[in-house]
Amino acid sequence: MLVALTEDGNRIYADEAQKKDQYGNRNKFYCPDCGSELTLKQGTKNIWHFSHKDGNTICIFRKGKKGESIIHQTMKKKIKEIIERDNEVIVSELEWKIGSRIADYYCELKVHFGNIRKVAIECVHQHNDIDEFRAKSKYYYDRDIYCLWIFNLTRFLDKDNSFKEEVRVNEIIKEAHTSYFGKVFALDIANEIIYAIHLSNILRETESVTLYDEWGDEYDVGGESYFLKGTKSPSPVLVNELKLNKFTRKKADTFLGYNRSICMVDLPKWW
Ligand SMILES: [Zn+2]
């Protein structure tokens, strides 16, 4: 986790925290959710973060055995930097508690007529839990908060860092693709850039064989076209600026050039 509370109860990020105070005494940090003590980890290998001192603590921040991976935490931090770079945010926080949930990143920005748009961003590194995806999206939607899921770009890349020709898609990618009107957003961590990736069906043909009937006439079997299941072809577009107030349903439809049918009725479509 990247956020902790100081002894005075203030929120502090791991990259701003100091192990010792001005008198050389060790600073103490606490979990904003369960209140137990945290260890500040400022190593050279990983992104600076906090972790629960007691490895057995039950806490929303430790969901899923050991808590979040370093990559997931790095994604969150980069997202915050990108959003702050591209938007005028009035609130911008990592690991922000919304009711019983914690958003990886949460921000508020001013839109037309002095209205405020609230946006929660969830980073997807490896997780594949579609129920959690739906529940979280719905939870935010019910509280008038836009929810944007951003995937790790590595899913879409080959070992040499070029885009894959065929990407295996799971339920979360499919549903995000539908919610964002035919594209998913992915973060290139190293270069701090976002791609909008459209995924299209891959058309294949079955093998065609020429046979002969009893009168010696030729006929062909096979050669039918079909779509590959579970695999799509990505078309990435670089998002130069991730402007959260520019995303509207109309814009999303323009991006695609056609209207998508509503296939996930329960899941609201934002962008
Ligand atoms: Zn905790």
Side-chain angles (χ1 to χ4, degrees):
M1 53 200 289
L2 303 173
V3 179
L5 296 180
T6 61
E7 275 183 280
D8 310 330
N10 296 314
R11 274 169 67 86
I12 190 162
Y13 288 121
D15 56 0
E16 296 162 350
Q18 308 254 321
K19 289 210 169 183
K20 288 183 178 169
D21 68 13
Q22 61 202 91
Y23 309 108
N25 299 317
R26 199 173 61 83
N27 284 322
K28 285 192 168 187
F29 303 100
Y30 302 92
C31 174
D33 201 57
C34 70
S36 64
E37 205 181 334
L38 304 176
T39 311
L40 172 60
K41 298 196 169 164
Q42 295 179 323
T44 46
K45 206 170 132 231
N46 292 323
I47 179 177
W48 289 359
H49 63 282
F50 296 101
S51 68
H52 286 73
K53 250 188 168 171
D54 178 353
N56 298 315
T57 312
I58 296 171
C59 171
I60 191 166
F61 277 108
R62 298 192 77 254
K63 252 176 120 183
K65 291 173 288 179
K66 285 162 67 194
E68 284 175 334
S69 70
I70 293 296
I71 295 179
H72 191 120
Q73 302 190 47
T74 310
M75 285 183 77
K76 297 197 277 200
K77 194 167 175 270
K78 299 278 177 182
I79 291 291
K80 181 171 184 278
E81 288 166 12
I82 290 174
I83 298 294
E84 288 178 358
R85 183 194 70 199
D86 294 348
N87 299 270
E88 275 185 48
V89 285
I90 46 178
V91 173
S92 172
E93 296 284 350
L94 290 166
E95 297 169 355
W96 191 249
K97 199 164 183 201
I98 301 168
S100 60
R101 310 275 176 167
I102 290 172
D104 283 342
Y105 172 75
Y106 172 80
C107 67
E108 293 180 3
L109 51 156
K110 279 198 181 139
V111 285
H112 299 302
F113 312 113
N115 289 323
I116 286 171
R117 174 171 291 186
K118 300 170 180 176
V119 182
I121 296 183
E122 294 292 338
C123 301
V124 193
H125 170 45
Q126 268 171 339
H127 98 204
N128 286 311
D129 186 346
I130 185 66
D131 295 331
E132 170 73 4
F133 172 89
R134 287 182 184 148
K136 235 176 176 175
S137 303
K138 177 87 168 49
Y139 192 87
Y140 294 144
Y141 173 70
D142 289 344
R143 283 151 188 83
D144 238 350
I145 299 168
Y146 283 48
C147 180
L148 177 60
W149 292 78
I150 297 185
F151 296 85
N152 190 344
L153 189 69
T154 51
R155 270 185 199 241
F156 302 93
L157 300 181
D158 272 325
K159 286 213 172 72
D160 66 353
N161 280 338
S162 60
F163 274 89
K164 285 181 180 170
E165 290 190 5
E166 294 178 10
V167 179
R168 288 214 68 79
V169 291
N170 62 13
E171 290 295 308
I172 297 185
I173 293 186
K174 278 191 219 162
E175 232 161 89
H177 196 259
T178 308
S179 325
Y180 307 134
F181 296 95
K183 59 192 179 299
V184 290
F185 293 92
L187 167 69
D188 176 344
I189 297 179
N191 297 305
E192 298 184 16
I193 43 179
I194 303 271
Y195 285 91
I197 302 173
H198 175 60
L199 299 163
S200 29
N201 287 322
I202 300 172
L203 198 60
R204 283 286 157 80
E205 250 181 36
T206 58
E207 204 189 325
S208 132
V209 190
T210 304
L211 299 173
Y212 296 90
D213 65 16
E214 54 264 53
W215 296 280
D217 289 329
E218 280 185 9
Y219 68 98
D220 293 330
V221 180
E224 287 110 11
S225 351
Y226 64 97
F227 289 121
L228 276 188
K229 270 201 181 133
T231 312
K232 305 268 179 197
S233 150
S235 329
V237 175
L238 184 64
V239 180
N240 285 317
E241 283 188 307
L242 191 64
K243 288 248 181 227
L244 296 177
N245 59 0
K246 279 200 176 167
F247 288 87
T248 62
R249 164 155 190 164
K250 203 164 160 266
K251 284 264 161 54
D253 283 343
T254 313
F255 182 94
L256 255 191
Y258 60 90
N259 277 300
R260 292 182 74 81
S261 64
I262 309 285
C263 54
M264 277 303 305
V265 237
D266 288 342
L267 195 70
K269 290 175 182 57
W270 297 115
W271 294 319

